[in-house]
Amino acid sequence: MPGILAEKILTGSSTDKELIAIAEKVKQRQRITDEEGLLLFEKGELPFLGALANFVREDLHGDKTYFNRNFHIEPTNVCVFTCNFCSYSRLYAHRDEGWELTMQQMLDLVKKYDDQPVTEVHIVGGVHPKMNLEFFAELLRKIKMHRPDLHIKGFTAVELDYMFRKGKMSVHDGMRYLHEAGLDSLPGGGAEIFHPEIRKQICADKVDGDGWLKIHETAHNLGMHSNATMLYGHIESYWHRIDHMNRLRALQDKTKGFNTFIPLKFRNKGNDMDHIPESSVIEDMKMYAVARIYMDNFPHLKAYWPMLGRQSAQLTLSFGVNDLDGTIDDTTKIYSMAGSEEQTPSMSTAELVSLIQQVKRKPVERGTLYNEIKDYSGSGTQTVPAELN
Ligand code: V47
Ligand code: SF4
């Protein structure tokens, strides 16, 4: 329970009766309703939301801030789908403008990290019509043969839905097949906004919200964990965000298979939605805070710094976030191509530790499933690299 000063901060920063009532619920760690979530978005002032989200964060994790050492494989940016927000993909007809890695190139990438203490590979890319279920099962087997202890987090529900349909396999059989080949968990991509009113305007042709949720539910039922994302800050309204989070919260009640919720800020460069202005930092922090307050059954809230930028990612640590992603040598192209200012999306462990310590949090390296690998809190303040100041 909070001390007197914290109590005052939690409720005293608002004079609105409805908001104070929500704060009382959150202090008791009771679940808030959709209407209350909406009210937080519409009427909650940033200091009030920050205090509440921080209360939940500290109740769950204290000052611990997790990070994970991983690397990415992006097999291709050729994609059969045409999401309007995507700056990264190339249609099959224009595949000469994109890239397609061979099996050997992907294995060479894995081997590049042989001497490095990475614990996870994140495989994500476009949906290539010729890279099928069998091809990826083979890739998984070969990675596991080479480095059995490397956790493979791979394929969005969008990629999986296409692979299973093309391979004429049910979601259950396809998922079990990939799991047996070496797939350990699923990343959270492809969720965007579930509500059909928005989905049909931004990504009409890929798996719908129910399909996305079914794939994650199936993975959970097979004992796998997964993450969930939400692409926010474009044409959606606050209530679409609540609807999205509601569907995730309901599935989590059933399966408890989600580890982390990751709000992804829409970036507007080089895509068909470039006329839509990007959200402000204040809106970003609001998003994280409301997510932390509303998603009471999600253990972790993650910020992906290559997309948000280092400084905003650091700020989220005061608005509910307890996990930062995008560590060593992160060469993912999806955000740099969409206009993220992080043109060199790579950060050393020392930089990341320092970024966390600057805001008086405790950096802890974790594995994919949040097993703690190394506590850096005793390591003292690190030198701050110039670009972080
Ligand atoms: O689904 C695409 C998003 C996602 C843009 O699970 C964009 O640990 C902003 O899901 N502006 C893929 N976002 C990346 C992803 C992810 C990243 C890091 C960690 C994890 C995890 C998952 O990227 C897509 C889409 O929502 N995206 N274009 C854009 N212009
Ligand atoms: Fe393809 Fe994913 Fe881009 Fe959509 S977001 S076009 S599914 S690569």
Side-chain angles (χ1 to χ4, degrees), residues 75-78 92 95-96 98-102 105 128 131:
T76 183
N77 67 341
V78 173
Y92 189 66
R95 63 190 181 282
D96 50 321
W99 71 86
E100 301 169 19
L101 300 184
T102 62
Q105 284 172 319
H128 192 296
M131 290 180 172

Side-chain angles (χ1 to χ4, degrees), residues 42-262:
E42 284 169 350
K43 286 169 80 178
E45 300 279 346
L46 198 56
F48 171 77
L49 295 176
L52 275 192
N54 195 46
F55 170 76
V56 177
R57 183 247 207 252
E58 291 186 356
D59 193 49
L60 287 170
H61 306 290
D63 280 330
K64 280 184 187 170
T65 300
Y66 294 105
F67 66 91
N68 184 19
R69 292 206 226 196
N70 67 2
F71 67 99
H72 286 79
I73 298 180
E74 294 179 85
T76 183
N77 67 341
V78 173
C79 191
V80 298
F81 297 119
T82 53
C83 307
N84 293 338
F85 53 81
C86 186
S87 323
Y88 156 94
S89 65
R90 295 292 175 268
L91 284 170
Y92 189 66
H94 303 285
R95 63 190 181 282
D96 50 321
E97 296 166 13
W99 71 86
E100 301 169 19
L101 300 184
T102 62
M103 182 82 71
Q104 194 52 49
Q105 284 172 319
M106 291 192 263
L107 290 171
D108 288 345
L109 203 57
V110 174
K111 287 178 187 157
K112 214 181 98 186
Y113 290 89
D114 275 356
D115 302 329
Q116 299 201 39
V118 290
T119 58
E120 174 189 285
V121 55
H122 179 174
I123 308 176
V124 65
V127 179
H128 192 296
K130 301 246 160 92
M131 290 180 172
N132 59 19
L133 193 61
E134 197 42 60
F135 175 81
F136 283 121
E138 191 60 18
L139 175 69
L140 295 167
R141 284 186 214 107
K142 287 189 162 149
I143 295 175
K144 282 289 178 185
M145 223 174 332
H146 180 72
R147 195 165 171 176
D149 59 332
L150 191 66
H151 182 109
I152 307 181
K153 178 176 81 179
F155 313 120
T156 63
V158 175
E159 295 166 89
L160 293 169
D161 168 69
Y162 185 83
M163 269 186 239
F164 299 158
R165 282 192 290 113
K166 211 152 183 216
K168 299 200 180 350
M169 273 212 187
S170 68
V171 173
H172 178 268
D173 291 353
M175 192 70 76
R176 201 174 54 185
Y177 180 65
L178 289 181
H179 188 37
E180 282 168 6
L183 185 64
D184 294 301
S185 65
L186 307 189
E192 324 312 358
I193 289 285
F194 291 142
H195 198 283
E197 202 172 279
I198 299 298
R199 208 167 179 86
K200 70 174 186 234
Q201 296 181 66
I202 64 169
C203 55
D205 52 358
K206 70 187 186 187
V207 68
D208 64 10
D210 290 342
W212 190 100
L213 290 161
K214 183 179 172 195
I215 285 177
H216 282 254
E217 181 169 8
T218 307
H220 298 171
N221 289 339
L222 288 168
M224 300 162 77
H225 283 86
S226 72
N227 294 334
T229 58
M230 174 169 70
L231 182 71
Y232 73 91
H234 41 91
I235 57 166
E236 87 288 2
S237 303
Y238 287 144
W239 73 266
H240 293 116
R241 298 185 194 177
I242 294 288
D243 173 77
H244 187 92
M245 293 194 287
N246 174 284
R247 295 181 201 217
L248 291 170
R249 194 169 76 168
L251 179 55
Q252 178 75 332
D253 278 343
K254 261 169 91 178
T255 64
K256 307 202 173 12
F258 287 116
N259 276 330
T260 317
F261 183 53
I262 316 162

Side-chain angles (χ1 to χ4, degrees), residues 257-329:
F258 287 116
N259 276 330
T260 317
F261 183 53
I262 316 162
L264 294 171
K265 175 192 174 96
F266 164 67
R267 306 302 305 237
N268 69 2
K269 303 284 175 313
N271 55 52
D272 291 343
M273 288 163 62
D274 58 3
H275 55 288
I276 298 168
E278 291 180 354
S279 54
S280 66
V281 177
I282 289 175
E283 276 301 313
D284 294 336
M285 296 309 127
K286 245 172 127 168
M287 178 64 243
Y288 282 94
V290 176
R292 183 58 284 172
I293 297 163
Y294 182 90
M295 303 290 264
D296 61 342
N297 56 2
F298 270 64
H300 304 285
L301 182 68
K302 178 154 97 176
Y304 186 55
W305 70 259
M307 166 267 278
L308 257 188
R310 285 160 161 85
Q311 287 182 352
S312 284
Q314 193 178 39
L315 206 52
T316 64
L317 300 183
S318 303
F319 290 87
V321 167
N322 70 296
D323 190 18
L324 287 182
D325 193 1
T327 50
I328 61 157
D329 204 16

